[in-house]
Amino acid sequence: MAGSRLERFGTVFTRVRDLLRSGVMKPSEKPVWFDVYKAFPPKREPLYVKPVQKPWAKKHETVPEIFYKEDVIRAKFYEQYLPGRPYDLSKSSFVSTCQRFVDKYSELQSRGELEDSALFEETAKALLADGVMLRRRGDPPVAAEPRNLNLSEMLAEQQKALDSEETSQLNSHPNTH
Amino acid sequence: MEVRMRSLLTFQTSMAARALAKGLCGLRPSRAVSVGYTCAGHQYTTAASIKPPQPQAEDVTEQLVNQSLEKPDFFRVSELISLKELFDARVHLGHKKGCRHRLMEPYLYGSRLDQDIIDLDQTVQHLQQALNFTAHVAYRGGIILFVSRRRQFGHLIENTARDCGEYAHTRYWQGGLLTNANVQYGVGVRLPDLIIFLSTLNNVFQQHVGIRDAAKMNIPTVGLVDSNCNPSLLTYPVPGNDDTPASMELYCRLFKMTINRAKDKRRQMELLQGLSPPSTPSL
């Protein structure tokens, strides 16, 4: 079967179209996809693009960086506090501590009474009132209760607990021996 | 399957016709001879071939097939895609800025803390076009080949291909698979009519050889391009994430649904037109 293996010149469609037009490829050999491509061409013709040889030619940014207004608030939050609960990204309705802070901050800001530093304090107070745990950066980590690792004492406690259980059982079942 | 029989028929007739032409002129078929031959070509091919079951069947199939091109969304593939679903499957997440391919820049929405975010509005349009093309090719009985070199999703892709009755190649791509098919697989091999790349990179992060080979063999390609891939040679590129299992499952499901929809539509239209059902009892 006739074909053209020049992938760098023209597109798949132009090559097949020209082969058909010139008679090299018979109309009976027309590929299955030809009419479909003609009816629904792609947005960009699949032409081969030569790899650019001069990397120093142009380097201007065509892809913008994404920043939001709330990022300022988020930065201030993370300067002062540590992230609270771990983020659960599998749920799209998950709201993190930081996000709650940002929402409360923008709400208070829209009421328009205070400015930045006071606003920050107000939001923190509001969140603590709501019951959200806010851990400050630089605080020593919450120390666990110093465990009593004296094994003999622990054994004595356990024994006492068992004895009290037995006596309570005996009392509740008077017909047991 | 009757579809395969029909295709083999056309190939056999052309083979037979060429053999006849060679026998007649005793020369290599030159341009002049082939032109002169094409005039009588149709009569010749029907004489040499096995008689087709119904002569009107050809016209009816022509009509069936041309009818599908009239509407812009004959298979209603746009119903299968929604932006929210793409977002939830994390299709918009690209690689870091350093891995970005310069030809992917038009498809990116922006970069958030150096991670490229793919523009899902464009993805929806490209995906709609790609699914529409796939559906039409499946409707016409074309062979579709799923290719990917990601070992993580090889099993998923093979299952997808099996479920829609098409083919998959998720193993090592031998050099002459498409370009040297007649030698490697015997004479008269039918090559795929559409190749779907669910990941355009191979295991060493270079462009898959199959893309260049498909362009060489004049086979259109549909491919999922991430922010580190080259979309230039693909006929219908679809910018999107190809690394997360969620997004790959979404794509496999979408392709499977379109191909099955197209094939069911074909069977339905054939029954409506009163064409004979396929001879083999298997379905």
Side-chain angles (χ1 to χ4, degrees):
Chain A
M1 195 153 101
S4 156
R5 294 196 181 192
L6 312 163
E7 84 271 15
R8 298 188 194 191
F9 298 97
T11 69
V12 178
F13 178 71
T14 53
R15 271 174 271 140
V16 171
R17 184 197 64 196
D18 295 340
L19 284 171
L20 283 168
R21 213 172 10 180
S22 63
V24 178
M25 205 187 248
K26 313 286 178 290
S28 56
E29 290 171 5
K30 187 166 74 164
V32 164
W33 53 268
F34 189 76
D35 292 321
V36 187
Y37 188 114
K38 216 167 20 170
F40 307 108
K43 283 181 182 276
R44 181 198 159 260
E45 284 208 14
L47 287 163
Y48 174 76
V49 175
K50 281 199 256 255
V52 78
Q53 287 300 323
K54 302 173 238 166
W56 41 263
K58 61 159 178 139
K59 261 303 179 177
H60 48 261
E61 271 301 314
T62 41
V63 177
E65 295 202 351
I66 301 174
F67 284 118
Y68 300 101
K69 270 202 314 254
E70 291 90 348
D71 286 341
V72 181
I73 311 168
R74 287 184 188 126
K76 275 199 264 180
F77 175 82
Y78 279 117
E79 264 170 36
Q80 286 256 334
Y81 300 104
L82 287 170
R85 335 172 255 165
Y87 285 56
D88 182 7
L89 293 173
S90 53
K91 291 185 280 195
S92 46
S93 59
F94 180 81
V95 181
S96 61
T97 326
C98 182
Q99 188 56 36
R100 285 184 73 166
F101 185 93
V102 164
D103 293 336
K104 188 63 78 145
Y105 190 101
S106 16
E107 197 192 306
L108 292 175
Q109 204 175 40
S110 63
R111 290 203 211 135
E113 300 135 8
L114 315 151
E115 0 78 18
D116 296 332
S117 47
L119 203 48
F120 196 81
E121 297 302 319
E122 273 303 309
T123 353
K125 274 185 237 171
L127 276 183
L128 283 169
D130 277 340
V132 174
M133 281 282 299
L134 284 175
R135 291 192 314 179
R136 275 184 171 270
R137 199 178 272 278
D139 267 356
V142 178
E145 288 273 320
R147 291 268 205 96
N148 193 356
L149 286 178
N150 196 339
L151 288 173
S152 48
E153 274 190 31
M154 281 167 66
L155 186 62
E157 274 179 36
Q158 232 182 28
Q159 223 25 45
K160 239 192 334 190
L162 272 173
D163 289 338
S164 61
E165 228 184 77
E166 271 183 31
T167 47
S168 67
Q169 269 193 358
L170 279 170
N171 291 339
S172 59
H173 301 282
N175 43 348
T176 53
H177 212 290
Chain B
M1 267 176 64
E2 60 126 34
V3 169
R4 303 283 173 266
M5 268 163 51
R6 190 154 28 100
S7 60
L8 214 58
L9 222 77
T10 44
F11 186 78
Q12 275 176 2
T13 53
S14 56
M15 280 284 281
R18 208 176 301 132
L20 276 167
K22 269 199 185 151
L24 278 178
C25 359
L27 307 158
R28 279 225 209 109
S30 62
R31 190 68 68 85
V33 175
S34 62
V35 164
Y37 168 72
T38 352
C39 306
H42 284 298
Q43 277 80 10
Y44 241 115
T45 45
T46 46
S49 68
I50 312 155
K51 274 212 186 61
Q54 298 124 352
Q56 312 113 327
E58 297 289 323
D59 302 323
V60 179
T61 18
E62 278 286 316
Q63 197 194 20
L64 249 185
V65 141
N66 289 335
Q67 221 176 32
S68 66
L69 293 178
E70 282 160 23
K71 288 195 222 160
D73 197 5
F74 188 66
F75 301 98
R76 298 202 310 266
V77 290
S78 40
E79 293 173 353
L80 297 171
I81 316 165
S82 81
L83 216 142
K84 179 158 197 322
E85 221 182 333
L86 288 178
F87 184 82
D88 287 334
R90 279 100 74 183
V91 164
H92 59 289
L93 301 174
H95 291 270
K96 286 277 193 174
K97 195 163 88 166
C99 297
R100 190 195 299 162
H101 194 101
R102 69 184 175 95
L103 295 172
M104 283 301 289
E105 279 170 13
Y107 302 117
L108 296 178
Y109 180 76
S111 76
R112 173 69 169 164
L113 301 175
D114 274 359
Q115 183 177 14
D116 288 336
I117 306 293
I118 297 168
D119 190 359
L120 283 182
D121 295 320
Q122 291 192 46
T123 302
V124 165
Q125 293 171 357
H126 282 92
L127 190 57
Q128 204 260 321
Q129 278 201 321
L131 289 176
N132 185 41
F133 188 80
T134 323
H136 279 281
V137 170
Y139 185 77
R140 286 146 186 261
I143 296 185
I144 299 176
L145 182 69
F146 288 91
V147 176
S148 163
R149 202 56 186 97
R150 294 211 57 141
R151 267 112 107 212
Q152 194 179 6
F153 306 116
H155 186 68
L156 170 70
I157 295 168
E158 288 178 348
N159 284 339
T160 315
R162 188 194 52 198
D163 291 338
C164 46
E166 296 296 343
Y167 305 84
H169 185 101
T170 53
R171 310 298 160 114
Y172 177 70
W173 182 278
Q174 273 207 316
L177 205 103
L178 293 178
T179 43
N180 205 16
N182 280 330
V183 166
Q184 287 190 353
Y185 296 101
V187 191
V189 176
R190 186 181 161 182
L191 291 178
D193 299 302
L194 173 65
I195 301 185
I196 302 182
F197 283 93
L198 286 154
S199 157
T200 50
L201 297 179
N202 60 18
N203 287 331
V204 267
F205 299 104
Q206 290 166 347
Q207 202 188 32
H208 201 288
V209 176
I211 299 178
R212 196 205 61 188
D213 282 355
K216 273 186 184 287
M217 303 307 288
N218 295 332
I219 299 171
T221 41
V222 163
L224 211 62
V225 279
D226 205 347
S227 64
N228 55 351
C229 305
N230 182 356
S232 60
L233 269 182
L234 290 160
T235 332
Y236 293 89
V238 178
N241 187 9
D242 62 1
D243 299 295
T244 3
S247 65
M248 287 303 277
E249 278 167 20
L250 174 75
Y251 290 122
C252 285
R253 207 182 67 226
L254 284 175
F255 279 115
K256 185 167 62 174
M257 277 163 73
T258 32
I259 295 174
N260 282 333
R261 217 184 241 205
K263 290 188 173 172
D264 290 336
K265 190 84 186 231
R266 179 58 181 246
R267 254 173 269 153
Q268 199 186 40
M269 299 294 268
E270 285 185 342
L271 285 172
L272 279 176
Q273 301 277 358
L275 284 172
S276 55
S279 47
T280 49
S282 65
L283 242 171

